[in-house]
Amino acid sequence: MVEQGLIRAAQSGDRDALITLLREIEQHVYRTAYYILNNEQDAMDASQEALIRIYSKINSYEEKAQFKTWIQRIVTNICIDKFRRTKPSVSIDEHDMIFNDPQNVEAEVLTSYMAQDVREAIQQLPEHHRTVIVLRYLQDFSYNEIADSLDLPLNTVKSYLYRARQQLQGLLQDYQKGGVSG
């Protein structure tokens, strides 16, 4: 993700290195916040708060943990705090659908509905299940990285993922039977 030399330079007070570091991680931070909060404005707020916290706490990072898990812990904690302060709501903002191939319009529409169904199902999960699903499947974290990021035992992470997958399967049964909620 980010090379250690850049991190060390940022920790030693190199302002340009710190700015470069923040620019390299900002998309990752935003993506995580968006998948957890499912709201663009909240994700932008959480991302900004996380980047400020990373900026101010860069010297507290120790190389014992991977840098991306250290960042992930900060972002996830901010999102969880924000989520607890506000009740979740389903966003009705849809992304514009652009059809590249007129022959595959039906497939693209069905894929769009499926993605929306999955997003809505993820948002219905309990907070701790949603977080591990986002980290595992959307951020591609290993089980150990998730455990480090969330400060949880490895078996708890495995249990949360197992239960979350079961819940998602139940929530998505209508789609699997051929129905579309759109």
Side-chain angles (χ1 to χ4, degrees):
M1 181 178 182
V2 176
E3 58 182 77
Q4 290 296 328
L6 184 60
I7 296 167
R8 286 187 202 106
Q11 287 178 315
S12 69
D14 183 339
R15 180 174 157 78
D16 291 334
L18 183 56
I19 291 170
T20 301
L21 175 69
L22 293 173
R23 284 194 176 134
E24 284 189 24
I25 64 171
E26 70 183 334
Q27 286 298 327
H28 172 77
V29 168
Y30 172 77
R31 191 172 352 140
T32 299
Y34 182 79
Y35 282 124
I36 292 173
L37 299 170
N38 196 35
N39 178 294
E40 186 176 348
Q41 192 62 47
D42 289 344
M44 289 171 61
D45 291 345
S47 297
Q48 184 176 14
E49 188 175 338
L51 290 170
I52 290 169
R53 191 167 301 166
I54 292 165
Y55 173 85
S56 64
K57 303 242 183 225
I58 190 71
N59 289 325
S60 69
Y61 167 70
E62 298 174 4
E63 291 184 32
K64 290 185 258 180
Q66 288 186 28
F67 189 65
K68 77 176 188 176
T69 58
W70 183 75
I71 291 169
Q72 197 64 47
R73 181 177 290 177
I74 291 171
V75 176
T76 303
N77 287 339
I78 288 170
C79 289
I80 289 170
D81 289 345
K82 184 175 270 306
F83 188 76
R84 285 180 180 155
R85 286 190 300 257
T86 61
K87 292 288 180 195
S89 61
V90 176
S91 173
I92 59 172
D93 295 331
E94 292 292 326
H95 297 286
D96 292 334
M97 294 194 319
I98 299 171
F99 302 109
N100 297 324
D101 181 1
Q103 303 300 328
N104 289 329
V105 170
E106 182 179 355
E108 289 186 41
V109 168
L110 290 175
T111 300
S112 173
Y113 280 128
M114 182 179 79
Q116 181 63 29
D117 287 347
V118 170
R119 280 193 300 272
E120 288 175 6
I122 289 172
Q123 288 307 306
Q124 292 178 38
L125 294 174
E127 173 186 310
H128 54 284
H129 289 169
R130 178 177 45 252
T131 302
V132 295
I133 286 290
V134 167
L135 295 178
R136 178 70 182 122
Y137 296 106
L138 301 175
Q139 296 295 341
D140 202 28
F141 271 45
S142 71
Y143 288 15
N144 287 327
E145 290 171 332
I146 295 169
D148 289 344
S149 294
L150 300 177
D151 198 24
L152 292 172
L154 182 60
N155 284 336
T156 302
V157 169
K158 290 178 182 179
S159 173
Y160 283 178
L161 280 167
Y162 175 77
R163 289 186 186 126
R165 284 190 298 262
Q166 284 185 316
Q167 289 173 325
L168 282 174
Q169 186 175 12
L171 291 168
L172 294 170
Q173 274 183 343
D174 288 340
Y175 184 81
Q176 291 171 348
K177 291 178 185 173
V180 176
S181 68

